[in-house]
Amino acid sequence: MKFAVLAFPGSNCEKDSFYALKDVLEEDVTLVSYQAESLAGFDAVVVPGGFSYGDYLRSGALARFAPIIPALKGFAGAGKPVLGICNGFQILTEAGLLPGSLQKNTAGKFICRQQKLVVINAQTPFSSRYQAGQVITLPIAHGDGNYYADEETLQELEANGQIIFTYQDNPNGSVKNIAGITNQAGNVLGMMPHPERGVEEILGSADGIQLFQSLIDFFTADEVIVHE
Amino acid sequence: MTVVKIFVNYKDSILNPEAETIKKALGRLGYQNIAELKVGKSFELTLADGLTQEQIKSEVNEICDQMLVNYNMEKYRYEISETEVI
């Protein structure tokens, strides 16, 4: 499976994602510059964490004007999997690929720690290796992780099964304890926790492996799991 | 020269943790009379001469739509003024 990991000025998790996919999962992975204009030939795209464009204006707000974004929108529009992690999640909301937005943590500080998550929907290309209701541990590291969407959007997210992960103990004030959501089609996932940093026990958790393994299953399966 | 001042702020329904933190800190300093505190952004654009009011408004609205405002959480207003070139 061919993964692209995007890198914007200020991204700082692209090499973590590259390492997880290349060295731990042993998949084909390429770092793709924000200046590229094509994602042809890739099977999945990771939009990594960091502080693209210094988080100036709003987190992710300036990255969405990078030259690679039209190709990313085309890739997502074609139903191919896109995973936005942390700042990648913020970029996907700003680019209009995911609903809602992320604002400052209610705790008034940057939070960096291992966090327990509940898997809400295990029938997606990103979560099929988990069980619904399973509690997993992944690291979080963010100042702007407080997910917000209006009531109408939240009802749609719930009705469509678009809430994939919630926090067990909400660290940042996110509505409905939301840690990760997909778009309506189910092929774009944005999440604040870092699965790419949870791929080896020595890192504190290896629960992130199943997320990437789910994607690989999705790609290699004869019968694809359709997100309902 | 035409100067446009754009003010972007959170919608009233949105709790802004930054504003809440500043309000609490002012409370600790002894300022107990602040019922509400808002934190927003302001932008000042100096525009080229020769634009009509309609052109200015249209461009400012477009800039806000495209980049300066996230309508999920924010709202904006702006003021247009003329300044003398010194």
Side-chain angles (χ1 to χ4, degrees), chain A residues 122-138:
Chain A
Q123 292 184 308
T124 79
F126 305 94
S127 58
S128 58
R129 284 268 181 141
Y130 301 115
Q131 304 290 318
Q134 185 181 345
V135 176
I136 63 171
T137 299
L138 288 177

Side-chain angles (χ1 to χ4, degrees), chain A residues 9-11 50-60 62 87:
Chain A
S11 294
F51 300 84
S52 56
Y53 297 87
D55 274 356
Y56 292 174
L57 189 61
R58 298 176 303 274
S59 310
L62 299 182
N87 188 227

Side-chain angles (χ1 to χ4, degrees), chain B:
Chain B
M1 303 286 270
T2 303
V3 173
V4 183
K5 290 180 180 171
I6 305 169
F7 302 91
V8 179
N9 214 316
Y10 282 88
K11 290 178 184 171
D12 292 336
S13 55
I14 307 286
L15 177 76
N16 177 353
E18 190 176 3
E20 289 299 306
T21 305
I22 294 168
K23 183 168 165 255
K24 277 184 202 161
L26 284 170
R28 284 198 298 276
L29 273 178
Y31 297 100
Q32 301 294 339
N33 299 322
I34 303 167
E36 193 178 2
L37 184 148
K38 291 184 175 179
V39 179
K41 300 185 187 98
S42 72
F43 304 87
E44 199 170 307
L45 311 183
T46 304
L47 301 180
D49 289 327
L51 297 166
T52 65
Q53 287 286 303
E54 281 65 39
Q55 285 172 321
I56 292 169
K57 287 178 183 173
S58 159
E59 189 154 318
V60 168
N61 286 325
E62 206 176 299
I63 287 169
C64 289
D65 287 352
Q66 284 256 323
M67 187 187 282
L68 298 187
V69 182
N70 180 331
Y71 289 107
N72 191 48
M73 298 190 294
E74 297 172 326
K75 59 182 183 177
Y76 73 100
R77 65 181 177 85
Y78 59 88
E79 297 165 359
I80 301 171
S81 61
E82 296 294 328
T83 58
E84 291 296 321
V85 180
I86 299 164

Side-chain angles (χ1 to χ4, degrees), chain A residues 99-101 146-154 157 175 178, chain B residues 72-73:
Chain A
S101 52
N146 179 358
Y147 182 78
Y148 172 79
D150 61 30
E151 195 54 43
E152 192 182 335
T153 306
L154 289 173
L157 290 176
V175 288
I178 285 173
Chain B
N72 191 48
M73 298 190 294

Side-chain angles (χ1 to χ4, degrees), chain A:
Chain A
M1 185 168 181
K2 289 186 175 176
F3 285 87
V5 176
L6 305 189
F8 297 89
S11 294
N12 65 12
C13 296
E14 73 276 22
K15 289 187 178 172
D16 299 28
S17 300
F18 187 94
Y19 172 81
L21 290 164
K22 181 87 174 177
D23 295 83
V24 180
L25 286 137
E26 299 182 337
E27 292 295 323
D28 187 335
V29 53
T30 306
L31 278 178
V32 176
S33 165
Y34 72 105
Q35 290 178 312
E37 292 179 359
S38 169
L39 289 163
F42 292 108
D43 303 312
V45 174
V46 177
V47 188
F51 300 84
S52 56
Y53 297 87
D55 274 356
Y56 292 174
L57 189 61
R58 298 176 303 274
S59 310
L62 299 182
R64 78 166 154 140
F65 298 105
I68 192 65
I69 297 298
L72 182 67
K73 287 185 173 176
F75 193 89
K80 294 178 181 172
V82 175
L83 168 61
I85 303 165
C86 198
N87 188 227
F89 184 10
Q90 295 160 345
I91 293 169
L92 294 177
T93 61
E94 284 285 347
L97 288 171
L98 289 172
S101 52
L102 293 132
Q103 63 160 329
K104 293 190 190 308
N105 299 341
T106 46
K109 60 182 177 184
F110 191 95
I111 304 170
C112 184
R113 67 176 188 220
Q114 297 287 339
Q115 184 73 41
K116 284 193 164 53
L117 308 175
V118 183
V119 180
I120 302 300
N121 185 347
Q123 292 184 308
T124 79
F126 305 94
S127 58
S128 58
R129 284 268 181 141
Y130 301 115
Q131 304 290 318
Q134 185 181 345
V135 176
I136 63 171
T137 299
L138 288 177
I140 58 167
H142 58 244
D144 294 2
N146 179 358
Y147 182 78
Y148 172 79
D150 61 30
E151 195 54 43
E152 192 182 335
T153 306
L154 289 173
Q155 284 176 8
E156 284 174 20
L157 290 176
E158 283 187 322
N160 297 329
Q162 289 171 250
I163 301 172
I164 312 304
F165 301 110
T166 57
Y167 299 108
Q168 197 170 56
D169 297 305
N170 192 337
N172 54 27
S174 289
V175 288
K176 304 268 184 195
N177 303 319
I178 285 173
I181 56 160
T182 64
N183 60 347
Q184 196 166 0
N187 66 304
V188 178
L189 170 67
M191 60 192 294
M192 290 311 297
H194 287 267
E196 85 286 11
R197 291 190 194 170
V199 291
E200 288 168 310
E201 289 300 339
I202 196 172
L203 298 172
S205 167
D207 288 345
I209 287 180
Q210 284 94 326
L211 189 149
F212 295 108
Q213 199 63 56
S214 299
L215 264 181
I216 296 162
D217 289 353
F218 173 76
F219 179 70
T220 51
D222 293 326
E223 281 191 340
V224 292
I225 298 159
V226 178
H227 183 219
E228 293 173 337

